Amino acid sequence: MRKIILAVTVFLVAVAAVQPGAAGSGKRIVLMPFYDESGYRGPWELRYEVPTMLGDMLMDDYYEIVPIDSVVARMEKPKKPGLFKKFLGLFSNRKERQKVLSDGEVLAIARDLDGDIVITGFVEDFTYKHMGGGEPMIGGYRYYSAKVNVEQVRILNVSNGQQLGRTINAETDRSDKGLGLELFGKERPRTVEFYSLDSLDFGSKGFLSSLMGQATVETLNKVQKDIRAVVSLPDTNWYSYKKFRVLDVQQGVVTINAGSGDGVKSGDRYRVYTSESGVPVGKITVTTVWGDHISKADIIEGRDEIRRNDVIMPDL
């Protein structure tokens, strides 16, 4: 019987693997385009690039990130400007103005995308500056600084519209303060980087190795850590229970390597999966918590299928 279940599940997994968006078995997160208030005037669309990179940092086997293209497709398209507005646009920031959405509008989009969590935010600063002195053809110096500031990152529970945790703000300043002498017109690598940065793809290897890329990654890494501290399973910790396993099976009773130190209590129910492929094979109920990391449980489903080293996860 166990072999039949394994074969069927392997087939179903193979089919699911080719379906878009099949990855992820926990929270489905919708990252809205961020509002770009930085004044950046380059080729990158920060309102899309920044949340996309943040989503890449969050995505794992628990968090499923809805592609930004799918989010944009659900948003109301801005009206095309008239001739007069087009004329005025010649003398202002040519980037498309972004409508500030209400929480209700944001939640409606997230629900349409079957999201569990929706995240919004602002890019307040995204600058790369340099200063220098001296005569380039004889000798001089350069000083470079990059600053990335992301603010008002809010996490909303799609089901009830409530904000989870506090509003997140993160900022990073990176600088190259070396004397950086430039002799006889020879450019330093940082100078070449500064003037060629906009020719790179956002998030590319060249971008990530740059001062601007390092500041961006450091800022978003702070944000994703704060998000992970807030967005978790309601009853347990995903990253802890992945290690819990069946240690022994004797006449309908199993011993598991989880106890009071892991938050386990008598009466807790767990699903049991094969360690090889994650096939569900049964359920157990904790009867006795023996210690910090050991408990006994009765098998309530799968008495003949559960084996040693099978993985257990809370039955939510």
Side-chain angles (χ1 to χ4, degrees):
M1 180 65 180
R2 186 181 174 99
K3 291 182 178 179
I4 295 175
I5 294 176
L6 177 60
V8 172
T9 303
V10 168
F11 171 76
L12 293 176
V13 169
V15 172
V18 301
Q19 299 297 324
S25 56
K27 299 293 184 184
R28 183 171 166 88
I29 297 180
V30 177
L31 280 155
M32 298 295 296
F34 280 18
Y35 302 106
D36 184 5
E37 302 292 334
S38 68
Y40 168 74
R41 290 172 174 265
W44 301 323
E45 290 284 355
L46 297 182
R47 58 180 181 171
Y48 304 135
E49 302 285 11
V50 169
T52 297
M53 180 177 284
L54 178 59
D56 289 343
M57 291 180 173
L58 284 169
M59 184 170 55
D60 57 20
D61 56 353
Y62 177 57
Y63 296 105
E64 178 185 355
I65 309 300
V66 177
I68 195 72
D69 290 346
S70 298
V71 179
V72 173
R74 297 302 197 284
M75 297 175 67
E76 181 182 348
K77 300 296 185 294
K79 295 180 181 179
K80 294 183 178 181
L83 291 176
F84 181 68
K85 286 188 176 181
K86 286 183 178 180
F87 175 75
L88 292 179
L90 297 174
F91 306 97
S92 62
N93 190 338
R94 290 177 292 177
K95 284 188 176 295
E96 181 184 319
R97 292 185 179 276
Q98 189 172 3
K99 175 188 174 184
V100 177
L101 302 179
S102 67
D103 283 358
E105 291 172 310
V106 168
L107 290 167
I109 293 170
R111 286 168 185 150
D112 191 36
L113 292 164
D114 295 323
D116 299 301
I117 300 294
V118 61
I119 299 173
T120 63
F122 286 74
V123 180
E124 290 292 337
D125 202 344
F126 193 86
T127 54
Y128 196 3
K129 298 179 179 179
H130 75 113
M131 297 186 300
E135 173 55 49
M137 294 307 297
I138 300 176
Y141 69 91
R142 290 289 185 273
Y143 165 78
Y144 297 89
S145 65
K147 182 178 181 180
V148 177
N149 183 13
V150 176
E151 293 187 355
Q152 303 180 56
V153 177
R154 301 174 65 231
I155 309 167
L156 301 178
N157 185 326
V158 175
S159 64
N160 58 25
Q162 297 296 312
Q163 179 172 334
L164 302 176
R166 62 179 178 82
T167 299
I168 300 170
N169 301 313
E171 179 179 303
T172 302
D173 286 286
R174 296 295 295 266
S175 61
D176 184 344
K177 296 181 178 180
L179 182 58
L181 288 175
E182 296 183 342
L183 300 176
F184 307 111
K186 183 179 180 180
E187 293 183 330
R188 298 175 59 214
R190 194 69 79 187
T191 303
V192 176
E193 170 190 295
F194 181 85
Y195 288 106
S196 63
L197 190 64
D198 282 352
S199 66
L200 302 175
D201 290 333
F202 192 95
S204 65
K205 183 177 179 181
F207 171 82
L208 296 176
S209 65
S210 70
L211 206 62
M212 194 76 238
Q214 293 167 17
T216 303
V217 169
E218 188 172 337
T219 299
L220 295 184
N221 195 35
K222 295 174 185 176
V223 174
Q224 69 92 11
K225 286 181 179 179
D226 283 344
I227 291 174
R228 287 181 184 277
V230 173
V231 183
S232 60
L233 284 170
D235 302 318
T236 188
N237 187 319
W238 172 268
Y239 301 99
S240 295
Y241 72 58
K242 281 171 52 174
K243 67 185 179 183
F244 294 160
R245 297 179 179 276
V246 173
L247 298 178
D248 190 36
V249 185
Q250 295 289 338
Q251 299 180 342
V253 177
V254 299
T255 304
I256 61 175
N257 66 340
S260 58
D262 306 301
V264 174
K265 304 181 296 298
S266 178
D268 285 353
R269 293 164 62 96
Y270 291 86
R271 291 180 181 270
V272 184
Y273 302 83
T274 63
S275 58
E276 303 88 358
S277 59
V279 177
V281 290
K283 294 182 181 180
I284 60 175
T285 298
V286 175
T287 55
T288 308
V289 179
W290 279 16
D292 288 345
H293 304 292
I294 190 167
S295 300
K296 291 285 187 180
D298 287 339
I299 297 175
I300 55 177
E301 287 182 23
R303 183 184 179 95
D304 297 326
E305 304 298 327
I306 295 176
R307 302 284 189 273
R308 285 185 60 186
N309 292 322
D310 281 350
V311 178
I312 67 171
M313 296 185 182
D315 184 13
L316 301 178

